[in-house]
Amino acid sequence: MIGIEEPDVEGGCRFVLEDPGGVPLRTFWNTRPLSLDDFFLLALSLTDLLERLHGFGIVHLDFRPDHLLIEPSTLAAHLIDFRLAVRLDGADGADGADSPPRTEAEGAEWTEEKREEPKGPPDEGETLPYRAPELFLRSPADHRADLFSLGVILYEALTGRLPYEAKRPGEWRHAHLARRPVDPRLWTPNFPRPCARCWTA
């Protein structure tokens, strides 16, 4: 991430990124079994990535493995595809994460150096497993929507499966609103019980 240029006179802003290289997260974990040490390093890397993004007052709203690039040697993470991203109203540094959100990126120009952004809306079938409950309800969303998606990603990285099983949009909506994930230790018995409570408490 390079940064965000100041809004212009019409209220727009330019989000400037570099091409970091790396491999897609899903490719990475499909070709390299994650040890617990690697899992915790990956968790720290993704958490740090979101902390920096939210520090700019930006909410991604489509945080999922296909939009994450990983450097295999260091597990450093990079985020791509900002089609759904919004900047919170009144955002100014890290404090912006507590400001009321914008419902759409009016006047914002998201640009990326060297990497061409996809066009059109994302495939809904790929986004539903990671979508926060408030987005199913079309309610105002803030940085917590990305944190929900982070939880889904980490569960999948740890267990090799999603925390919920569903096929149709309505089933995903019900799962994310009303169901509790299965304890990840069912598939990863050596995972610390206190950490598993992040999903089961």
Side-chain angles (χ1 to χ4, degrees), residues 89-102:
D89 280 338
D92 183 16
D95 293 338
D98 294 324
S99 304
R102 299 181 70 165

Side-chain angles (χ1 to χ4, degrees), residues 26 60-67 81 83-84 120-133 135-136 145 148-149 152-153 156 162 167-169 172-173 176:
R26 192 177 303 281
H60 191 267
L61 297 182
D62 198 15
F63 195 73
R64 53 188 169 98
D66 303 291
H67 295 161
D81 197 338
R83 282 176 287 179
L84 300 184
D123 185 332
E124 188 176 62
E126 297 176 354
T127 68
L128 291 177
Y130 307 93
R131 183 177 295 177
L135 297 180
F136 281 101
F148 179 91
S149 302
V152 176
I153 292 171
E156 188 176 10
L162 290 165
K167 294 181 179 179
R168 294 185 293 271
W172 285 114
R173 182 179 186 272
H176 286 197

Side-chain angles (χ1 to χ4, degrees), residues 22-172:
V23 299
L25 176 56
R26 192 177 303 281
T27 300
F28 173 75
W29 71 36
N30 284 341
T31 57
R32 170 180 164 179
L34 284 181
S35 66
L36 277 184
D37 287 344
D38 283 346
F39 169 80
F40 285 115
L41 284 174
L42 177 64
L44 289 172
S45 182
L46 296 180
T47 302
D48 178 68
L49 176 65
L50 278 184
E51 181 180 24
R52 288 183 284 124
L53 180 70
H54 296 161
F56 281 113
I58 298 295
V59 183
H60 191 267
L61 297 182
D62 198 15
F63 195 73
R64 53 188 169 98
D66 303 291
H67 295 161
L68 288 160
L69 300 175
I70 300 297
E71 297 178 14
S73 61
T74 64
L75 298 187
H78 307 280
L79 186 58
I80 61 174
D81 197 338
F82 284 78
R83 282 176 287 179
L84 300 184
V86 296
R87 192 175 192 191
L88 303 180
D89 280 338
D92 183 16
D95 293 338
D98 294 324
S99 304
R102 299 181 70 165
T103 56
E104 56 186 31
E106 294 181 358
E109 181 183 359
W110 309 100
T111 65
E112 192 173 71
E113 292 188 351
K114 301 181 182 178
R115 181 179 294 278
E116 183 177 351
E117 284 285 274
K119 306 298 182 183
D123 185 332
E124 188 176 62
E126 297 176 354
T127 68
L128 291 177
Y130 307 93
R131 183 177 295 177
E134 58 269 34
L135 297 180
F136 281 101
L137 298 174
R138 300 186 181 276
S139 300
D142 58 21
H143 60 287
R144 289 169 291 188
D146 288 344
L147 296 179
F148 179 91
S149 302
L150 172 63
V152 176
I153 292 171
L154 292 180
Y155 189 103
E156 188 176 10
L158 177 67
T159 67
R161 62 188 69 208
L162 290 165
Y164 309 102
E165 293 183 3
K167 294 181 179 179
R168 294 185 293 271
E171 294 174 348
W172 285 114

